mmCIF file of all heavy atoms in Angstrom:
data_model
loop_
_atom_site.group_PDB
_atom_site.id
_atom_site.type_symbol
_atom_site.label_atom_id
_atom_site.label_comp_id
_atom_site.label_asym_id
_atom_site.label_seq_id
_atom_site.Cartn_x
_atom_site.Cartn_y
_atom_site.Cartn_z
ATOM 1 N N SER A 1 -63.237 -11.259 -20.157
ATOM 2 C CA SER A 1 -62.144 -10.314 -19.935
ATOM 3 C C SER A 1 -62.637 -8.904 -20.200
ATOM 4 O O SER A 1 -63.658 -8.697 -20.873
ATOM 5 C CB SER A 1 -60.941 -10.627 -20.850
ATOM 6 O OG SER A 1 -61.257 -10.389 -22.210
ATOM 7 N N PHE A 2 -61.912 -7.934 -19.670
ATOM 8 C CA PHE A 2 -62.188 -6.532 -19.967
ATOM 9 C C PHE A 2 -60.899 -5.758 -19.770
ATOM 10 O O PHE A 2 -60.031 -6.156 -18.993
ATOM 11 C CB PHE A 2 -63.315 -5.969 -19.089
ATOM 12 C CG PHE A 2 -63.000 -5.947 -17.618
ATOM 13 C CD1 PHE A 2 -62.452 -4.818 -17.011
ATOM 14 C CD2 PHE A 2 -63.281 -7.051 -16.817
ATOM 15 C CE1 PHE A 2 -62.175 -4.796 -15.653
ATOM 16 C CE2 PHE A 2 -63.011 -7.036 -15.451
ATOM 17 C CZ PHE A 2 -62.457 -5.910 -14.867
ATOM 18 N N GLN A 3 -60.776 -4.650 -20.486
ATOM 19 C CA GLN A 3 -59.560 -3.833 -20.419
ATOM 20 C C GLN A 3 -59.899 -2.452 -19.903
ATOM 21 O O GLN A 3 -60.814 -1.785 -20.386
ATOM 22 C CB GLN A 3 -58.890 -3.722 -21.783
ATOM 23 C CG GLN A 3 -57.570 -2.952 -21.750
ATOM 24 C CD GLN A 3 -56.840 -2.938 -23.074
ATOM 25 O OE1 GLN A 3 -57.118 -3.762 -23.958
ATOM 26 N NE2 GLN A 3 -55.905 -2.009 -23.243
ATOM 27 N N VAL A 4 -59.141 -1.998 -18.891
ATOM 28 C CA VAL A 4 -59.212 -0.640 -18.378
ATOM 29 C C VAL A 4 -57.815 -0.053 -18.470
ATOM 30 O O VAL A 4 -56.868 -0.609 -17.885
ATOM 31 C CB VAL A 4 -59.724 -0.603 -16.935
ATOM 32 C CG1 VAL A 4 -59.647 0.806 -16.369
ATOM 33 C CG2 VAL A 4 -61.158 -1.118 -16.856
ATOM 34 N N GLY A 5 -57.664 1.048 -19.172
ATOM 35 C CA GLY A 5 -56.329 1.602 -19.392
ATOM 36 C C GLY A 5 -55.460 0.559 -20.065
ATOM 37 O O GLY A 5 -55.845 -0.058 -21.072
ATOM 38 N N SER A 6 -54.277 0.322 -19.505
ATOM 39 C CA SER A 6 -53.352 -0.659 -20.091
ATOM 40 C C SER A 6 -53.395 -1.992 -19.345
ATOM 41 O O SER A 6 -52.501 -2.821 -19.495
ATOM 42 C CB SER A 6 -51.924 -0.101 -20.054
ATOM 43 O OG SER A 6 -51.524 0.177 -18.723
ATOM 44 N N VAL A 7 -54.459 -2.219 -18.548
ATOM 45 C CA VAL A 7 -54.591 -3.443 -17.757
ATOM 46 C C VAL A 7 -55.699 -4.311 -18.349
ATOM 47 O O VAL A 7 -56.846 -3.865 -18.459
ATOM 48 C CB VAL A 7 -54.904 -3.139 -16.289
ATOM 49 C CG1 VAL A 7 -55.084 -4.429 -15.496
ATOM 50 C CG2 VAL A 7 -53.800 -2.281 -15.670
ATOM 51 N N LEU A 8 -55.358 -5.538 -18.707
ATOM 52 C CA LEU A 8 -56.347 -6.516 -19.132
ATOM 53 C C LEU A 8 -56.665 -7.410 -17.948
ATOM 54 O O LEU A 8 -55.778 -8.076 -17.392
ATOM 55 C CB LEU A 8 -55.828 -7.374 -20.290
ATOM 56 C CG LEU A 8 -56.804 -8.452 -20.774
ATOM 57 C CD1 LEU A 8 -57.996 -7.824 -21.499
ATOM 58 C CD2 LEU A 8 -56.112 -9.478 -21.668
ATOM 59 N N CYS A 9 -57.924 -7.426 -17.538
ATOM 60 C CA CYS A 9 -58.383 -8.306 -16.461
ATOM 61 C C CYS A 9 -59.078 -9.509 -17.076
ATOM 62 O O CYS A 9 -59.942 -9.367 -17.952
ATOM 63 C CB CYS A 9 -59.341 -7.563 -15.534
ATOM 64 S SG CYS A 9 -58.572 -6.211 -14.615
ATOM 65 N N VAL A 10 -58.702 -10.688 -16.622
ATOM 66 C CA VAL A 10 -59.236 -11.938 -17.156
ATOM 67 C C VAL A 10 -59.855 -12.713 -16.004
ATOM 68 O O VAL A 10 -59.167 -13.058 -15.039
ATOM 69 C CB VAL A 10 -58.127 -12.775 -17.832
ATOM 70 C CG1 VAL A 10 -58.710 -14.054 -18.413
ATOM 71 C CG2 VAL A 10 -57.414 -11.966 -18.906
ATOM 72 N N SER A 11 -61.140 -12.984 -16.102
ATOM 73 C CA SER A 11 -61.855 -13.748 -15.079
ATOM 74 C C SER A 11 -62.019 -15.188 -15.564
ATOM 75 O O SER A 11 -62.527 -15.424 -16.663
ATOM 76 C CB SER A 11 -63.228 -13.126 -14.814
ATOM 77 O OG SER A 11 -63.956 -13.895 -13.870
ATOM 78 N N ILE A 12 -61.601 -16.139 -14.739
ATOM 79 C CA ILE A 12 -61.566 -17.548 -15.110
ATOM 80 C C ILE A 12 -62.481 -18.353 -14.181
ATOM 81 O O ILE A 12 -62.567 -18.079 -12.985
ATOM 82 C CB ILE A 12 -60.118 -18.089 -15.017
ATOM 83 C CG1 ILE A 12 -59.245 -17.442 -16.095
ATOM 84 C CG2 ILE A 12 -60.080 -19.608 -15.163
ATOM 85 C CD1 ILE A 12 -57.790 -17.840 -16.005
ATOM 86 N N ASP A 13 -63.143 -19.354 -14.743
ATOM 87 C CA ASP A 13 -63.936 -20.282 -13.939
ATOM 88 C C ASP A 13 -63.072 -21.458 -13.528
ATOM 89 O O ASP A 13 -62.882 -22.415 -14.291
ATOM 90 C CB ASP A 13 -65.150 -20.762 -14.723
ATOM 91 C CG ASP A 13 -66.053 -21.668 -13.878
ATOM 92 O OD1 ASP A 13 -65.737 -21.894 -12.697
ATOM 93 O OD2 ASP A 13 -67.074 -22.156 -14.414
ATOM 94 N N GLY A 14 -62.560 -21.424 -12.303
ATOM 95 C CA GLY A 14 -61.700 -22.497 -11.810
ATOM 96 C C GLY A 14 -62.427 -23.808 -11.601
ATOM 97 O O GLY A 14 -61.794 -24.868 -11.529
ATOM 98 N N ASN A 15 -63.770 -23.780 -11.480
ATOM 99 C CA ASN A 15 -64.504 -25.033 -11.311
ATOM 100 C C ASN A 15 -64.363 -25.944 -12.525
ATOM 101 O O ASN A 15 -64.504 -27.165 -12.410
ATOM 102 C CB ASN A 15 -65.987 -24.741 -11.062
ATOM 103 C CG ASN A 15 -66.227 -23.977 -9.769
ATOM 104 O OD1 ASN A 15 -65.622 -24.268 -8.753
ATOM 105 N ND2 ASN A 15 -67.103 -22.988 -9.820
ATOM 106 N N ASP A 16 -64.096 -25.366 -13.671
ATOM 107 C CA ASP A 16 -63.885 -26.129 -14.902
ATOM 108 C C ASP A 16 -62.491 -26.748 -14.952
ATOM 109 O O ASP A 16 -62.265 -27.715 -15.687
ATOM 110 C CB ASP A 16 -64.091 -25.183 -16.096
ATOM 111 C CG ASP A 16 -63.933 -25.845 -17.443
ATOM 112 O OD1 ASP A 16 -64.344 -27.017 -17.597
ATOM 113 O OD2 ASP A 16 -63.403 -25.183 -18.366
ATOM 114 N N ILE A 17 -61.559 -26.213 -14.161
ATOM 115 C CA ILE A 17 -60.145 -26.571 -14.260
ATOM 116 C C ILE A 17 -59.671 -27.408 -13.074
ATOM 117 O O ILE A 17 -58.918 -28.372 -13.231
ATOM 118 C CB ILE A 17 -59.287 -25.300 -14.351
ATOM 119 C CG1 ILE A 17 -59.760 -24.390 -15.494
ATOM 120 C CG2 ILE A 17 -57.814 -25.653 -14.505
ATOM 121 C CD1 ILE A 17 -59.626 -24.983 -16.867
ATOM 122 N N ALA A 18 -60.089 -27.037 -11.871
ATOM 123 C CA ALA A 18 -59.559 -27.658 -10.649
ATOM 124 C C ALA A 18 -60.011 -29.112 -10.526
ATOM 125 O O ALA A 18 -61.157 -29.457 -10.839
ATOM 126 C CB ALA A 18 -60.016 -26.866 -9.429
ATOM 127 N N VAL A 19 -59.088 -29.970 -10.039
ATOM 128 C CA VAL A 19 -59.453 -31.375 -9.831
ATOM 129 C C VAL A 19 -60.186 -31.580 -8.510
ATOM 130 O O VAL A 19 -60.843 -32.606 -8.322
ATOM 131 C CB VAL A 19 -58.204 -32.289 -9.870
ATOM 132 C CG1 VAL A 19 -57.527 -32.210 -11.223
ATOM 133 C CG2 VAL A 19 -57.224 -31.954 -8.745
ATOM 134 N N GLU A 20 -60.085 -30.643 -7.596
ATOM 135 C CA GLU A 20 -60.729 -30.791 -6.291
ATOM 136 C C GLU A 20 -62.237 -30.923 -6.434
ATOM 137 O O GLU A 20 -62.860 -30.267 -7.278
ATOM 138 C CB GLU A 20 -60.421 -29.582 -5.418
ATOM 139 C CG GLU A 20 -61.033 -29.657 -4.031
ATOM 140 C CD GLU A 20 -60.836 -28.388 -3.227
ATOM 141 O OE1 GLU A 20 -60.599 -27.333 -3.820
ATOM 142 O OE2 GLU A 20 -60.934 -28.465 -1.986
ATOM 143 N N ASP A 21 -62.824 -31.741 -5.596
ATOM 144 C CA ASP A 21 -64.273 -31.909 -5.539
ATOM 145 C C ASP A 21 -64.765 -31.216 -4.268
ATOM 146 O O ASP A 21 -64.803 -31.799 -3.191
ATOM 147 C CB ASP A 21 -64.629 -33.394 -5.516
ATOM 148 C CG ASP A 21 -66.141 -33.631 -5.576
ATOM 149 O OD1 ASP A 21 -66.887 -32.645 -5.567
ATOM 150 O OD2 ASP A 21 -66.541 -34.811 -5.622
ATOM 151 N N ASP A 22 -65.154 -29.954 -4.394
ATOM 152 C CA ASP A 22 -65.587 -29.171 -3.232
ATOM 153 C C ASP A 22 -66.801 -28.357 -3.631
ATOM 154 O O ASP A 22 -66.738 -27.147 -3.787
ATOM 155 C CB ASP A 22 -64.463 -28.263 -2.736
ATOM 156 C CG ASP A 22 -64.872 -27.479 -1.492
ATOM 157 O OD1 ASP A 22 -65.839 -27.901 -0.837
ATOM 158 O OD2 ASP A 22 -64.247 -26.459 -1.192
ATOM 159 N N SER A 23 -67.906 -29.029 -3.862
ATOM 160 C CA SER A 23 -69.094 -28.360 -4.354
ATOM 161 C C SER A 23 -70.318 -28.885 -3.623
ATOM 162 O O SER A 23 -70.227 -29.675 -2.686
ATOM 163 C CB SER A 23 -69.235 -28.564 -5.864
ATOM 164 O OG SER A 23 -69.177 -29.939 -6.194
ATOM 165 N N SER A 24 -71.482 -28.449 -4.073
ATOM 166 C CA SER A 24 -72.729 -28.804 -3.402
ATOM 167 C C SER A 24 -73.044 -30.281 -3.528
ATOM 168 O O SER A 24 -72.665 -30.944 -4.501
ATOM 169 C CB SER A 24 -73.886 -28.004 -4.023
ATOM 170 O OG SER A 24 -73.733 -26.637 -3.826
ATOM 171 N N LEU A 25 -73.794 -30.783 -2.543
ATOM 172 C CA LEU A 25 -74.364 -32.118 -2.627
ATOM 173 C C LEU A 25 -75.790 -32.008 -3.159
ATOM 174 O O LEU A 25 -76.568 -31.145 -2.710
ATOM 175 C CB LEU A 25 -74.378 -32.790 -1.258
ATOM 176 C CG LEU A 25 -73.017 -33.155 -0.662
ATOM 177 C CD1 LEU A 25 -73.216 -33.784 0.720
ATOM 178 C CD2 LEU A 25 -72.247 -34.094 -1.567
ATOM 179 N N ASP A 26 -76.109 -32.835 -4.105
ATOM 180 C CA ASP A 26 -77.471 -32.900 -4.612
ATOM 181 C C ASP A 26 -78.316 -33.680 -3.608
ATOM 182 O O ASP A 26 -78.049 -34.863 -3.362
ATOM 183 C CB ASP A 26 -77.481 -33.610 -5.968
ATOM 184 C CG ASP A 26 -78.850 -33.588 -6.624
ATOM 185 O OD1 ASP A 26 -79.858 -33.498 -5.899
ATOM 186 O OD2 ASP A 26 -78.914 -33.688 -7.855
ATOM 187 N N PRO A 27 -79.307 -33.046 -2.973
ATOM 188 C CA PRO A 27 -80.093 -33.763 -1.960
ATOM 189 C C PRO A 27 -80.783 -35.015 -2.503
ATOM 190 O O PRO A 27 -81.025 -35.971 -1.760
ATOM 191 C CB PRO A 27 -81.114 -32.719 -1.505
ATOM 192 C CG PRO A 27 -80.515 -31.404 -1.868
ATOM 193 C CD PRO A 27 -79.732 -31.656 -3.113
#
């Protein structure tokens, strides 16, 4: 996260949360 002025921006890793399997295939 980082704060600019009165805005807190929060960056989240959805790959840790989402149930969908939409990623690379290991060759």
Side-chain angles (χ1 to χ4, degrees):
S1 68
F2 63 93
Q3 183 175 342
V4 174
S6 60
V7 178
L8 179 71
C9 294
V10 181
S11 177
I12 292 176
D13 183 1
N15 296 318
D16 181 37
I17 306 296
V19 298
E20 181 186 21
D21 185 357
D22 182 19
S23 53
S24 296
L25 292 178
D26 186 334

